[in-house]
Amino acid sequence: TRWAQIHHTFEAPFYYISYATSAIPAMEGFVLSKKDYSAAVKLYNDLITAGTEYDFVELLDRLNLGSPFDKSTITDIVSGIVNVFKQ
């Protein structure tokens, strides 16, 4: 019952969804950092300077990141993570 005592579960119901959806591009950035660190730093800088002009999916598209709502994005990231940890 502890989950019922966490106020943002009810006050901000999309709180957990935002964590889940933001984890996907974060993992994509992680995989990129293992392949091309400079490109990952550029991606990070582009992300933090983008501001609030674009919605989430538009921003991902502008930064050439996959959508967490697209199954192929998840498949690609899983493959990338597996390759990182095989090394």
Side-chain angles (χ1 to χ4, degrees):
T1 60
R2 177 151 160 52
W3 66 270
Q5 298 171 358
I6 301 171
H7 67 89
H8 57 258
T9 301
F10 303 102
E11 293 174 2
F14 290 104
Y15 179 84
Y16 295 106
I17 294 171
S18 70
Y19 267 118
T21 57
S22 64
I24 303 303
M27 285 187 270
E28 198 169 354
F30 168 74
V31 171
L32 178 61
S33 75
K34 297 301 183 180
K35 293 179 184 177
D36 186 345
Y37 185 78
S38 295
V41 169
K42 181 181 179 334
L43 171 66
Y44 177 78
N45 286 328
D46 290 346
L47 176 65
I48 63 172
T49 59
T52 58
E53 184 177 343
Y54 309 102
D55 71 32
F56 180 64
V57 175
E58 289 173 331
L59 180 59
L60 295 177
D61 188 49
R62 290 184 62 81
L63 297 175
N64 295 316
L65 292 169
S67 170
F69 307 108
D70 183 351
K71 185 177 179 178
S72 66
T73 299
I74 308 303
T75 303
D76 292 344
I77 292 170
V78 169
S79 295
I81 290 172
V82 167
N83 287 334
V84 165
F85 288 104
K86 277 185 177 179
Q87 299 173 3

